[in-house]
Amino acid sequence: MAAALLPLLLLLATGPGSGRADAGQERRDALREELLLTPLPTGDVAATFQFRTRWDADLQRGAVSHYRLFPKALGRLVAALGVRELHLALTQGFWRTRYWGQPPLQAPAGAELWVWFQPTVTDVDKAWKELSNILSGIFCASLNFIDSTNTVIPTASFKPLGLANGTDHHLLRYAVLPREVVCTENLTPWKKLLPCGSKAGLAVLLKAERLFHSSYHSQAVHIRPICRDASCLAMSWELRQTLTVVFDFFSSGQGKKDWSLFKMFSRTLTDTCPLASQSKVYVDISPKNKEKELLEVSPPPTSVHEAIVQGDKKTYAVYDLLSPSLFNTSRSLNVQLKWKRPQDSSEMPIPTLHAQRYVGGYGLQTGEICTLIYNTHPYRAFPVILLETVPWYLRLYVHTLTIITKGKENKPSYIHYQPAQDRRRPHLLEMLIQLPANSVTKITIQFERALLKWTEYPPDPNHGFYVGSSVLSALVPSVTAMKDMDVEQSPLFTSLFPSSDGSSYFVRLYTEPLLVNLPTPDFSMPYNVICLTCTVVAVCYGSFYNLLTRTFHVEEPSRGGLAKRLANVIRKFRGVPPL
Amino acid sequence: DQAEQFFRSGHTNNWAVLVCTSRFWFNYRHVANTLSVYRSVKRLGIPDSHIVLMLADDMACNPRNPKPATVFSHKNMELNVYGDDVEVDYRSYEVTVENFLRVLTGRIPPSTPRSKRLLSDDRSNILIYMTGHGGNGFLKFQDSEEITNVELADAFEQMWQKRRYNELLFIIDTCQGASMYERFYSPNIMALASSQVGEDSLSHQPDLGIGVHLMDRYTFYVLEFLEEIHPASQTNMNDLVCPKSLCVSTPGHRTDLFQRDPQNVLITDFFGSVRKVEITTEALSLDRDVAGCESKFLEEELATEPLKYAEQLPVAQIIHQKPKQKDWHPPGGFILGLWALIIMVFFKTYGIKHMKHVF
């Protein structure tokens, strides 16, 4: 008995700090989590969760056998398939840049997957196919539908976001599945990848019933190699899981502009994840138009942080969940945002770069894809790369491509066009366009709709066929110059895109996906044809056959029943003719 | 007697294949049917890794759903069978007859992930539940194809030949469901259907807030029955009989291929995952030197010069990637000379009189 108690006492005495497998190895991985609440100009509120696990190990050398915070499923995937960078996003809804401002991280509607492979990978297509199948099993999404008909190799967009010493674009693959639905079955495995699951820390707020009752829901996984420290002589692996959700002013907010964590997520924060080294909640309280603060937050924040995010100076109220003073007064933290005075709707700031896309034309034979890109900066021009992937069944006519800015034609400095091959490859159009200051650029291209084979139609063909969002990558001039900040100290939401100089910041926008109707056959026709053909054959051929082969012969009338026969016998005796 | 029952069934693991074959919003009840069986089966112990869930359409996050991320089975939104912890293996367009048969027979492409495979062995009890629209001898998949009872029977025979199951319980909730099990010929299969040939299975109750029927009657009864079951229940298959007043149609069953008496088959043999525990009183001695596995630290090579991030929009590099298209120039001297030579040779061979045709 005493012998059994002794190890128990030892365990209790050393406490939670003794969770190490081998005494000599120091902790080489760290978890940081943060939540950013941004009230949007239209009264909605955007919440962005970021969970970052940084691991100082070399997955490529295969020396890893002990996974602690970094999930084993993703670690094994990166090691086995030679992945250098992986970005997967599952999104429901659309981010309205025009009304909500620049997004921290936007993703197109549906599923988007882009991957950079290591130079050591010999067959990139095979690795890509295996990767999409494995990810479809991990995330319960139909990523196994990614094949050569929706994969493209961009040449200028999607440069690596992590450390890279060469960018041969043949190692890059990009695919979008716009028809993909995102629901709780995608959120469940995403939550299971977090070290604390959804049991402690910021992830307790992630309840599906509230997250999907929103205008925009996007969850993403980003894996990339980053600098281990400022000298950048060694690399670490970073896994970043982000979730952005926009709660609608009318449906979730019940028409009132005051928000709180309980109103958004129907629960509050109670404790921190013991595995996290940093756990913070940021609330954007930047004053608009240089006036005094309009937004009041309660309870009072632990600190106020100023940062230059997306080229503009912003002020954030910070709640540090690891500071002991936060949970002193109450066991739970419910951040509340109240407006001091009603917001004037004419004050809505317009973002510097925004775009929209739509289908023009009529009928089921031809159409036109129009993209409008707006540059609202008063005096600066900047270049933007537009990447369009169009499925093969919309046959683009590149000679009808026109780019018009301010009434004049705008010739792009770089065009890469790869035509589609029926049932094998989609169209790829990449252009580098210079946007003059304060202008609208209209890009139009005409297409013709193809008739598919009748077995190629999905079970609901009258819904239409989706064309994935176009991607706009631009270096937008900043309002305020950014200084180089230490990546480890700055908030997570400022540090995904590496910035080379502070005068402009990199932004990636997506346009709307398009829904086009293809000419759909009547699927009951095979049945109708069989019925009609059988009827025609029966009537015509049958009659003809009868005419040829029918012979007529006289038939004795039947003798009649018993009574008639008896009557005939009697008549015979009488000598009268029979009946 | 209890010990006898304990050793009777002979299975060591449980699997479930739950299929909903209907698409479109008005077939909400089929998805709710499948999810209620999924919920019961998970509650009674079968883990997600042993459940293959196939839903042909997404009802929870459908734009027509007034309460997103929920699927209700009882009206007035009492019970959310979708829950917060659900993993759907085959969704939307992936639910096809081909994929279903591949899952059953195990003939799956090598790149299929584990969660999409039925990795059963000869000691597995498998529960197969199908729901959707059906007819006499067939079941419709997603409004575009169908599976016949002959195909299904052959698939089960393949499973038997490959020893992929110990015992199989097949439940079907469609119109004329009994026709689907008429053709089975493999041993150890028990089948339940919601209606006989010539009868329709009816739906249970609509919810006016959602606007569609929420469940089918037979599966509603099965759900209510299973809510009473817990992993230690001793209820057997003979208790699972839907009364006519609730089901309206006549449920059918087929037990002639099954070797045990249904009286002795526990509900948890198929719906739960009851593990057999062997208690031993012997002591086992473990090797003390477990902690001696050496943790190798591979010396990491530090780079000689600092690594750097790639530039996101290298405009100059992009422009010079492709050679600029030169403008059209008139053909140069060499080309002109070459053409002149060709024309001269032509007229020399065919004679000068052809020149007049040119002018």
Side-chain angles (χ1 to χ4, degrees):
Chain A
M1 263 306 259
L5 272 174
L6 199 56
L8 195 65
L9 280 169
L10 265 170
L11 235 114
L12 285 170
T14 43
S18 69
R20 297 185 271 197
D22 30 1
Q25 197 181 24
E26 25 172 87
R27 294 264 158 75
R28 298 173 84 181
D29 46 15
L31 169 71
R32 280 174 62 182
E33 50 179 32
E34 71 180 32
L35 164 62
L36 167 66
L37 296 172
T38 318
L40 299 170
T42 50
D44 310 320
V45 69
T48 308
F49 291 83
Q50 287 210 23
F51 301 90
R52 194 196 80 159
T53 305
R54 201 193 81 180
W55 194 21
D56 301 334
D58 196 353
L59 281 169
Q60 296 307 121
R61 309 263 296 288
V64 176
S65 57
H66 182 58
Y67 289 84
R68 199 179 75 107
L69 295 181
F70 202 93
K72 185 172 168 183
L74 295 179
R76 296 268 301 263
L77 186 71
V78 167
L81 291 174
V83 168
R84 189 166 79 194
E85 261 188 51
L86 187 141
H87 302 272
L88 169 67
L90 294 164
T91 312
Q92 174 206 58
F94 181 67
W95 181 276
R96 301 195 177 127
T97 315
R98 169 73 179 79
Y99 301 104
W100 292 345
Q102 300 281 10
L105 261 183
Q106 197 186 1
E112 182 204 37
L113 175 65
W114 59 281
V115 175
W116 277 91
F117 287 94
Q118 300 279 357
T120 52
V121 173
T122 43
D123 192 347
V124 180
D125 287 317
K126 185 157 158 280
W128 171 248
K129 185 88 190 133
E130 273 188 50
L131 179 70
S132 43
N133 275 312
I134 296 175
L135 286 174
S136 87
I138 298 178
F139 290 100
C140 293
S142 314
L143 297 176
N144 49 323
F145 283 139
I146 291 179
D147 55 9
S148 64
T149 59
N150 44 30
T151 308
V152 289
I153 306 178
T155 54
S157 324
F158 293 105
K159 295 286 181 208
L161 290 178
L163 294 172
N165 58 356
T167 54
D168 177 11
H169 62 261
H170 291 109
L171 299 169
L172 169 65
R173 293 289 184 273
Y174 173 77
V176 167
L177 293 173
R179 185 70 171 104
E180 194 63 23
V181 172
V182 183
C183 208
T184 314
E185 65 252 22
N186 305 112
L187 185 64
T188 309
W190 188 93
K191 282 198 287 191
K192 286 184 181 164
L193 291 175
L194 296 171
C196 276
S198 56
K199 303 205 171 26
L202 293 175
V204 295
L205 298 175
L206 299 174
K207 289 296 162 196
E209 279 182 17
R210 302 296 302 171
L211 289 180
F212 289 101
H213 196 50
S214 56
S215 317
Y216 176 81
H217 170 103
S218 171
Q219 61 196 59
V221 169
H222 302 278
I223 302 178
R224 60 176 185 155
I226 56 169
C227 290
R228 193 174 295 189
D229 46 28
S231 65
C232 210
L233 288 170
M235 72 158 211
S236 316
W237 283 93
E238 178 193 78
L239 165 69
R240 204 182 268 246
Q241 291 181 252
T242 65
L243 194 143
T244 308
V245 60
V246 173
F247 291 103
D248 188 67
F249 166 55
F250 290 106
S251 55
S252 309
Q254 286 121 37
K256 293 205 223 21
K257 284 192 188 178
D258 298 331
W259 291 98
S260 70
L261 278 185
F262 189 77
K263 201 171 175 194
M264 290 191 267
F265 302 105
S266 73
R267 60 201 67 232
T268 57
L269 292 167
T270 45
D271 57 8
T272 58
C273 174
L275 299 168
S277 58
Q278 203 185 80
S279 186
K280 289 188 175 164
V281 177
Y282 291 85
V283 182
D284 185 352
I285 51 173
S286 318
K288 312 244 183 317
N289 300 332
K290 295 188 180 32
E291 284 176 15
K292 281 208 315 272
E293 293 174 7
L294 298 172
L295 195 62
E296 182 190 298
V297 287
S298 67
T302 37
S303 61
V304 173
H305 177 88
E306 285 193 2
I308 300 179
V309 171
Q310 291 180 341
D312 206 0
K313 192 143 174 256
K314 294 214 174 126
T315 319
Y316 295 96
V318 184
Y319 293 87
D320 190 350
L321 295 179
L322 289 173
S323 78
S325 60
L326 195 67
F327 289 114
N328 264 350
T329 43
S330 71
R331 291 290 312 275
S332 74
L333 172 66
N334 182 18
V335 178
Q336 287 171 333
L337 291 78
K338 280 204 220 350
W339 292 95
K340 281 197 196 144
R341 64 173 176 80
Q343 226 190 348
D344 201 356
S345 59
S346 63
E347 290 174 4
M348 273 200 268
I350 303 181
T352 318
L353 173 69
H354 63 278
Q356 67 182 95
R357 190 171 72 148
Y358 53 90
V359 176
Y362 58 90
L364 284 177
Q365 192 179 0
T366 52
E368 185 182 64
I369 298 181
C370 307
T371 312
L372 291 169
I373 310 180
Y374 299 83
N375 174 2
T376 57
H377 202 279
Y379 51 85
R380 290 279 299 271
F382 53 87
V384 66
I385 297 185
L386 174 69
L387 171 77
E388 285 218 28
T389 312
V390 179
W392 63 267
Y393 40 81
L394 296 184
R395 305 210 161 107
L396 293 182
Y397 288 100
V398 183
H399 71 279
T400 57
L401 174 70
T402 56
I403 309 174
I404 301 201
T405 309
K406 288 184 182 167
K408 289 192 312 228
E409 203 195 310
N410 181 352
K411 199 157 171 314
S413 338
Y414 171 80
I415 300 188
H416 173 70
Y417 174 65
Q418 198 181 50
Q421 281 180 348
D422 272 9
R423 298 175 184 86
R424 262 190 272 164
R425 212 171 61 183
H427 295 277
L428 171 66
L429 182 59
E430 252 185 304
M431 297 187 284
L432 179 66
I433 305 170
Q434 192 77 7
L435 301 178
N438 211 5
S439 64
V440 179
T441 307
K442 183 167 179 181
I443 302 157
T444 54
I445 186 166
Q446 290 180 5
F447 62 85
E448 189 184 63
R449 301 172 208 228
L451 188 65
L452 301 176
K453 294 183 184 166
W454 77 290
T455 47
E456 288 175 345
Y457 285 95
D460 53 350
N462 291 303
H463 179 94
F465 291 76
Y466 283 91
V467 178
S469 313
S470 349
V471 188
L472 290 144
S473 318
L475 279 173
V476 181
S478 328
V479 171
T480 325
M482 284 188 290
K483 297 177 283 285
D484 245 341
M485 288 202 294
D486 184 12
V487 176
E488 286 303 308
Q489 296 306 317
S490 54
L492 287 173
F493 56 86
T494 56
S495 61
L496 184 61
F497 295 113
S499 57
S500 45
D501 69 281
S503 63
S504 56
Y505 62 95
F506 180 75
V507 72
R508 189 173 282 142
L509 286 183
Y510 295 87
T511 60
E512 294 92 331
L514 303 173
L515 185 60
V516 288
N517 270 321
L518 286 185
T520 313
D522 184 354
F523 291 101
S524 60
M525 276 317 281
Y527 168 76
N528 293 344
V529 166
I530 292 171
C531 284
L532 190 68
T533 317
C534 291
T535 311
V536 165
V537 164
V539 169
C540 295
Y541 177 70
S543 324
F544 195 61
Y545 177 80
N546 276 337
L547 271 176
L548 286 179
T549 56
R550 195 181 292 169
T551 55
F552 293 95
H553 62 267
V554 178
E555 196 180 275
E556 286 291 311
S558 63
R559 293 291 300 245
L562 185 62
K564 208 160 166 209
R565 270 190 272 151
L566 264 171
N568 279 337
V569 163
I570 295 171
R571 276 182 167 226
K572 208 158 66 172
F573 278 133
R574 280 172 59 191
V576 173
L579 287 166
Chain B
D1 172 57
Q2 235 181 354
E4 204 181 70
Q5 212 168 36
F6 184 80
F7 287 111
R8 209 162 273 190
S9 75
H11 70 280
T12 57
N13 56 75
N14 284 83
W15 286 80
V17 178
L18 310 172
V19 184
C20 161
T21 58
S22 305
R23 176 165 275 277
F24 304 122
W25 173 247
F26 50 84
N27 291 321
Y28 182 102
R29 59 188 190 279
H30 296 139
V31 174
N33 287 349
T34 317
L35 285 172
S36 40
V37 177
Y38 172 77
R39 169 206 152 78
S40 311
V41 147
K42 248 178 104 153
R43 198 175 52 81
L44 291 172
I46 304 187
D48 270 316
S49 54
H50 282 226
I51 303 177
V52 177
L53 178 61
M54 303 171 83
L55 296 180
D57 201 0
D58 167 60
M59 298 303 166
C61 290
N62 197 310
R64 291 169 80 162
N65 192 348
K67 291 204 125 216
T70 57
V71 173
F72 293 107
S73 59
H74 288 61
K75 69 174 178 200
N76 300 325
M77 304 186 190
E78 281 166 23
L79 179 60
N80 175 16
V81 289
Y82 196 56
D84 215 13
D85 185 15
V86 57
E87 287 184 18
V88 180
D89 301 305
Y90 287 84
R91 329 152 72 178
S92 190
Y93 298 122
E94 290 176 284
V95 178
T96 57
V97 174
E98 185 191 338
N99 282 348
F100 174 62
L101 291 177
R102 282 187 186 278
V103 164
L104 286 185
T105 54
R107 294 206 170 112
I108 282 191
S111 52
T112 318
R114 269 188 86 110
S115 56
K116 286 183 167 171
R117 292 179 190 239
L118 178 66
L119 298 165
S120 55
D121 52 29
D122 63 321
R123 310 282 282 180
S124 313
N125 273 12
I126 308 184
L127 165 73
I128 298 185
Y129 176 83
M130 300 181 78
T131 181
H133 288 288
N136 189 356
F138 68 92
L139 172 62
K140 189 170 76 153
F141 265 70
Q142 287 211 52
D143 215 24
S144 66
E145 48 184 6
E146 59 222 17
I147 187 174
T148 56
N149 48 6
V150 175
E151 282 177 358
L152 197 56
D154 287 341
F156 287 161
E157 176 64 15
Q158 280 193 50
M159 285 174 82
W160 174 251
Q161 300 273 347
K162 288 162 82 159
R163 294 292 179 268
R164 277 169 71 79
Y165 68 91
N166 175 38
E167 284 171 346
L168 201 136
L169 174 64
F170 175 74
I171 306 183
I172 185 156
D173 188 349
T174 64
C175 303
Q176 308 193 48
S179 61
M180 290 304 284
Y181 60 64
E182 272 171 3
R183 301 293 195 115
F184 290 168
Y185 56 95
S186 320
N188 287 354
I189 301 185
M190 185 190 303
L192 299 172
S194 59
S195 57
Q196 302 292 337
V197 176
E199 271 185 346
D200 285 340
S201 289
L202 302 170
S203 54
H204 187 68
Q205 43 177 232
D207 178 295
L208 297 177
I210 298 178
V212 285
H213 285 268
L214 295 181
M215 284 273 273
D216 278 331
R217 283 177 183 267
Y218 183 74
T219 313
F220 185 80
Y221 168 78
V222 170
L223 173 67
E224 302 249 287
F225 180 85
L226 288 173
E227 289 283 301
E228 312 281 315
I229 306 283
H230 55 89
S233 295
Q234 297 295 306
T235 347
N236 56 49
M237 295 298 290
N238 271 350
D239 300 331
L240 181 61
V241 173
C242 182
K244 183 97 175 160
S245 57
L246 188 53
C247 272
V248 183
S249 55
T250 319
H253 60 274
R254 184 174 171 179
T255 48
D256 57 314
L257 294 165
F258 204 73
Q259 277 165 18
R260 295 191 283 152
D261 188 5
Q263 179 85 20
N264 297 330
V265 178
L266 298 178
I267 295 282
T268 48
D269 277 352
F270 289 103
F271 287 91
S273 182
V274 180
R275 302 284 165 152
K276 295 201 173 19
V277 174
E278 245 181 58
I279 302 173
T280 172
T281 50
E282 291 172 16
L284 293 164
S285 64
L286 293 169
D287 198 358
R288 287 224 154 235
D289 204 14
V290 168
C293 57
E294 67 279 23
S295 44
K296 287 188 292 237
F297 292 107
L298 269 187
E299 279 306 311
E300 286 186 38
E301 300 166 5
L302 288 181
T304 42
E305 39 177 77
L307 308 159
K308 49 185 179 14
Y309 292 101
E311 215 183 297
Q312 290 301 302
L313 198 67
V315 176
Q317 187 201 26
I318 291 170
I319 294 177
H320 289 108
Q321 232 172 297
K322 269 224 184 116
K324 240 171 87 103
Q325 294 288 345
K326 290 211 246 306
D327 293 327
W328 186 84
H329 293 293
F334 173 71
I335 301 289
L336 264 181
L338 196 64
W339 275 110
L341 185 67
I342 291 170
I343 291 175
M344 249 178 47
V345 168
F346 170 74
F347 285 116
K348 259 245 167 334
T349 16
Y350 294 106
I352 203 76
K353 58 182 188 291
H354 290 277
M355 283 286 275
K356 69 171 190 284
H357 293 291
V358 176
F359 295 106

